Amino acid sequence: MLNHQTTETTLSIREDDAPILTCDYGDATNSPFLHPIYTPDGQVVTVDATFGQPYPPGISFSLGTISGGQYARSVSSRKLLSSSDQFSIDSTWEDATGLFLIETYRVEVKPRQNEVQIVDIKISLRAPKRSVELTGDVGLGYHAVEMEHRKAVDADTRMGELELNGKVSAWGTLSGLTTAENVPVGVAIFPHPANGKTTFFAHDVSFGYLFAQAAPLTVSTVMMRTLKYRILAYGGDPFTVDVSEYYKDYTNT
């Protein structure tokens, strides 16, 4: 049975006392992020921001560059709604010009399967006062645990940084052997086709990073803009786990 527990800045979901994920929404300069998130056999596949890496922590959504200048931005308010298997967090963003964006971050956790843990993420954006353009690094990223023999693979069977980076694809995954336990693990990012074209990037640093970059988008005052993703945390690698079949399941629902 799925259940959740909250603190002032985090929400954790467990199944039959086994941890699945924790969402951290305590940083007023970043969107909420998922860390740690676990495979069904209990392996952690994300890291936080304590290692001095330039990437966002865990699994997180990036707003990229906001039109109108390079103003510092922060969250003026957050509202959490939750149940046993899903939750939503409303963040109201402001910059030097005032309130400019309302971001609703919805997460739904699926029951564990034998080899995979599925998490659905939906980001809804609305501009309360004026239309804003989001460009650059807009999308969902995965900051991985330290792994050996990392493999970045996309839906078109491209493998490795040089082959994968800057290419449009239906999905991407990053896997490897955990340094501490020498256990094969991986995470796949499935952007929903309704999002539009997604460009993938992988960075093979000591802690791997996979980013699903959305095309530049405009958020208006009259219509909410939504981006949907499925996260697959799995035990194994792309040769033992058929990531493409899980993607088909996602897009056929």
Side-chain angles (χ1 to χ4, degrees), residues 125-140:
L125 305 168
R126 183 171 64 85
K129 294 184 178 180
R130 67 185 190 278
S131 293
V132 296
E133 293 182 1
L134 306 183
T135 60
D137 292 334
V138 182
L140 198 72

Side-chain angles (χ1 to χ4, degrees), residues 51 58 72 74 78 86 98 102 140 156 160 162 164 184 247 249 251 253:
F51 296 95
S74 62
R78 275 194 165 131
Q86 55 189 308
I102 297 173
L140 198 72
D156 301 286
L162 294 179
L164 183 148
Y247 178 76
D249 290 341
T251 54
T253 57

Side-chain angles (χ1 to χ4, degrees), residues 32-160:
F33 64 91
L34 305 181
H35 169 75
I37 183 170
Y38 299 83
T39 62
D41 60 356
Q43 296 294 321
V44 176
V45 293
T46 56
V47 292
D48 60 21
T50 62
F51 296 95
Q53 300 293 338
Y55 310 112
I59 293 172
S60 60
F61 182 76
S62 172
L63 292 172
T65 300
I66 309 296
S67 62
Q70 297 291 337
Y71 301 119
R73 59 183 191 250
S74 62
V75 172
S76 62
S77 66
R78 275 194 165 131
K79 179 182 178 182
L80 170 68
L81 295 174
S82 62
S83 63
S84 60
D85 61 344
Q86 55 189 308
F87 59 89
S88 66
I89 300 169
D90 288 340
S91 301
T92 303
W93 289 88
E94 63 180 1
D95 61 10
T97 67
L99 302 179
F100 69 90
L101 191 68
I102 297 173
E103 173 193 28
T104 300
Y105 179 87
R106 292 185 177 89
V107 175
E108 181 180 357
V109 176
K110 306 294 186 180
R112 285 177 298 170
Q113 300 181 31
N114 289 335
E115 62 182 5
V116 303
Q117 176 64 59
I118 294 173
V119 179
D120 285 346
I121 300 173
K122 183 162 66 173
I123 310 293
S124 298
L125 305 168
R126 183 171 64 85
K129 294 184 178 180
R130 67 185 190 278
S131 293
V132 296
E133 293 182 1
L134 306 183
T135 60
D137 292 334
V138 182
L140 198 72
Y142 161 48
H143 192 176
V145 292
E146 190 170 14
M147 295 187 293
E148 303 293 339
H149 308 294
R150 284 179 295 279
K151 301 180 185 72
V153 181
D154 70 11
D156 301 286
T157 69
R158 288 180 284 254
M159 182 181 297

Side-chain angles (χ1 to χ4, degrees), residues 4 13 15 19 21 86 104 113 128 139 155 158 165 168 176 218 221 242:
H4 73 276
I13 292 183
E15 182 176 2
L21 63 79
Q86 55 189 308
T104 300
Q113 300 181 31
R158 288 180 284 254
N165 280 349
V168 173
T218 299
T221 59
D242 194 344

